[in-house]
Amino acid sequence: MSRRNKQLFISIIAICTLVVGGWVARLVFAAEVAIDSAVFDATDAFTADTIVFVSDTQGYAFYEDLATTLVYATTTDGGTTWGVPVAISTVNSVCCPDVWYDQWTPGDTTGRKIHITWIDATLDDIMYRYLDTSNDTFGAAAVTAIAPAAALNSTGVDMGPAITKATDNDVFIVSTIGAGGDELTASSTDNGVTWKTAAMKYQGVVWLNLDSELDLAPLANGNIMLAWNDGADLQYRNYTDSTTLWDTTDTVIDADFIKESTNVYAQPWALVSNATTSDVFAIGIPDPDSATAGLQEIRVYRYVTSFARQSNVATATPELVDAHMGIDANTGTLYAVYTRGGTAGITTDIFYKTSTNQGVSWGAEIQLNTTQDDLRHVSVNAWSNERLYVMWANDDTNVISGNTVVDLAPPSVPAVESKSPRVTISSGQFIIETGQVILQ
């Protein structure tokens, strides 16, 4: 057998193993696609939860359109193409949406609602609405979840609200507000119809700083976690559902986590929940575009009963911009997605790395974008057993783009006769049964 034919034979056997022996892996070689080619100034986008996939093919992206109206776009082909955006709010002055999908909450395997919150700069309120993805209908008109006394800032001074759903189906929203006010939390026990609002205080003392970057995550037993960056530390408190009280003191996750002062790269970190174990991961860049070597890192922390520092996704890596994470619901594999230069603010790219051991170690860096530019504000659907997808903003062209990180769903394989294939080799001719392949 010639060397060429031997190589072909090995390749064919490998293909037969994949097809006849069953699904082994789905390899995806996809290019980035435009979700929307004309959006409002992408600087006002934020690194938050703004992308959801409810199946391998059906996904939703949330953002501000050119008229600063809050919209969502849908895909039915796994993110290859995206439809015409649908308005969530008729107000043309919104900012900073954040969403939570029912099945990102531990124990919920059947819920189909996407819970949405955002800043309404006309009303100076924090709004709420949900989208039922089983039929793509809204539950009701948008309602005010938080109505602070101070004016909200929709251009970046206020970091925007965060939202989550607890394991007992209560929905929580937290937001920072304008100068002189308190941070507020709101909770709803009736799918967002009514809201109970309270200042973030313990025994009358405000325990959150103004303009803190915020995120929420569900814990077991109806409890939730609130994490924030106050400009020096990344820290958290937990809410206990049985007592309806927050922890009395802050717990520091990282004492060397500098809030980016200009808000150009606002909130370059996120909380992500493992909906099987209730573990919470925090991922972030302590100082975006830092000139300090010790801060040029992507750090990861894992919470079981307290936070423990894991291995860095990146170390001594300049020009880092922001980071997010998605989790494979089948295996628990972590996918850390991030933006780095090049030159931050001018030429950046989107990359990811994986960890199969809860962040103890990370694999090789893989690029996701094809067009290098001023890319920022990465967001990944946090939890899926079928597809993880990333979206990002181009601050030069004001285009929202996306790409598949990994397709986790097995392909449809035609049924084959349940017997081993027979391979015949003669004079450079390969015959493989069942299903005949002939190479000459």
Side-chain angles (χ1 to χ4, degrees):
M1 184 187 299
S2 70
R3 179 177 180 181
R4 175 180 174 273
N5 284 346
K6 184 181 294 184
Q7 290 173 335
L8 287 172
F9 173 70
I10 293 171
S11 299
I12 293 169
I13 294 300
I15 293 171
C16 291
T17 301
L18 177 67
V19 176
V20 178
W23 176 73
V24 176
R26 174 79 73 91
L27 300 180
V28 177
F29 301 95
E32 68 180 62
V33 299
I35 296 173
D36 195 316
S37 297
V39 301
F40 185 63
D41 186 358
T43 302
D44 288 336
F46 290 86
T47 300
D49 296 306
T50 51
I51 184 80
V52 176
F53 267 74
V54 301
S55 70
D56 186 38
T57 57
Q58 185 179 352
Y60 300 79
F62 298 82
Y63 56 93
E64 300 171 53
D65 70 4
L66 192 59
T68 69
T69 301
L70 181 62
V71 299
Y72 76 89
T74 60
T75 179
T76 57
D77 57 13
T80 302
T81 60
W82 292 83
V84 176
V86 177
I88 299 169
S89 168
T90 58
V91 175
N92 290 338
S93 184
V94 302
C95 179
C96 319
D98 192 46
V99 306
W100 188 269
Y101 180 48
D102 274 342
Q103 293 186 40
W104 294 350
T105 296
D108 190 338
T109 59
T110 59
R112 296 298 301 272
K113 294 185 182 70
I114 300 174
H115 304 270
I116 314 160
T117 187
W118 68 95
I119 292 176
D120 183 323
T122 300
L123 296 175
D124 278 330
D125 288 348
I126 304 299
M127 308 301 292
Y128 169 84
R129 200 173 195 187
Y130 76 74
L131 176 69
D132 187 339
T133 63
S134 64
N135 52 18
D136 284 355
T137 58
F138 291 111
V143 298
T144 296
I146 300 176
L152 290 160
N153 187 322
S154 63
T155 58
V157 174
D158 298 307
M159 293 298 101
I163 190 168
T164 194
K165 190 189 78 169
T167 57
D168 60 0
N169 295 319
D170 291 353
V171 180
F172 285 80
I173 295 174
V174 65
S175 180
T176 177
I177 64 173
D182 301 333
E183 276 73 4
L184 300 175
T185 182
S187 60
S188 175
T189 60
D190 55 11
N191 286 313
V193 177
T194 59
W195 292 87
K196 179 181 179 182
T197 306
M200 288 300 202
K201 295 182 177 181
Y202 182 76
Q203 295 181 346
V205 177
V206 176
W207 52 264
L208 275 178
N209 293 333
L210 179 65
D211 297 335
S212 299
E213 298 171 343
L214 309 166
D215 207 357
L216 292 167
L219 301 172
N221 303 314
N223 304 333
I224 65 166
M225 173 186 292
L226 167 63
W228 70 95
N229 178 12
D230 64 0
D233 303 330
L234 187 63
Q235 49 199 322
Y236 75 98
R237 292 196 191 197
N238 291 341
Y239 172 86
T240 302
D241 183 63
S242 60
T243 63
T244 67
L245 293 174
W246 291 92
D247 291 343
T248 59
T249 58
D250 310 335
T251 301
V252 173
I253 303 171
D254 191 324
D256 189 22
F257 213 89
I258 302 171
K259 180 174 178 287
E260 202 273 326
S261 59
T262 65
N263 295 329
V264 172
Y265 307 116
Q267 193 154 339
W269 62 275
L271 296 180
V272 182
S273 298
N274 183 314
T276 297
T277 65
S278 297
D279 293 357
V280 177
F281 290 87
I283 181 172
I285 300 167
D287 183 19
D289 191 19
S290 180
T292 303
L295 297 175
Q296 295 172 339
E297 300 177 340
I298 301 175
R299 300 175 181 174
V300 174
Y301 321 79
R302 180 190 181 192
Y303 178 92
V304 180
T305 58
S306 61
F307 273 105
R309 179 84 173 263
Q310 308 298 92
S311 294
N312 289 346
V313 177
T315 301
T317 305
E319 312 295 337
L320 293 168
V321 175
D322 48 26
H324 210 289
M325 182 187 288
I327 303 178
D328 174 0
N330 304 294
T331 64
T333 297
L334 309 180
Y335 288 78
V337 183
Y338 53 95
T339 312
R340 70 161 177 85
T343 302
I346 301 175
T347 52
T348 51
D349 294 292
I350 312 296
F351 301 91
Y352 79 92
K353 292 183 181 181
T354 62
S355 174
T356 58
N357 52 17
Q358 310 301 314
V360 174
S361 61
W362 295 89
E365 181 178 82
I366 299 174
Q367 187 168 337
L368 286 164
N369 66 301
T370 52
T371 302
Q372 186 184 70
D373 210 335
D374 183 6
L375 311 181
R376 55 182 73 181
H377 309 310
V378 293
S379 181
V380 189
N381 54 311
W383 176 260
S384 178
N385 64 351
E386 296 189 277
R387 183 181 297 269
L388 293 176
Y389 195 93
V390 59
M391 64 181 285
W392 64 86
N394 186 322
D395 194 44
D396 285 342
T397 62
N398 295 325
V399 173
I400 299 290
S401 299
N403 198 358
T404 292
V405 181
V406 59
D407 186 355
L408 302 165
S412 298
V413 179
V416 297
E417 187 177 352
S418 58
K419 65 179 183 180
S420 300
R422 181 169 61 87
V423 180
T424 302
I425 306 171
S426 177
S427 301
Q429 184 181 66
F430 300 156
I431 300 176
I432 299 180
E433 302 172 354
T434 51
Q436 192 174 64
V437 178
I438 299 177
L439 296 179
Q440 290 181 309

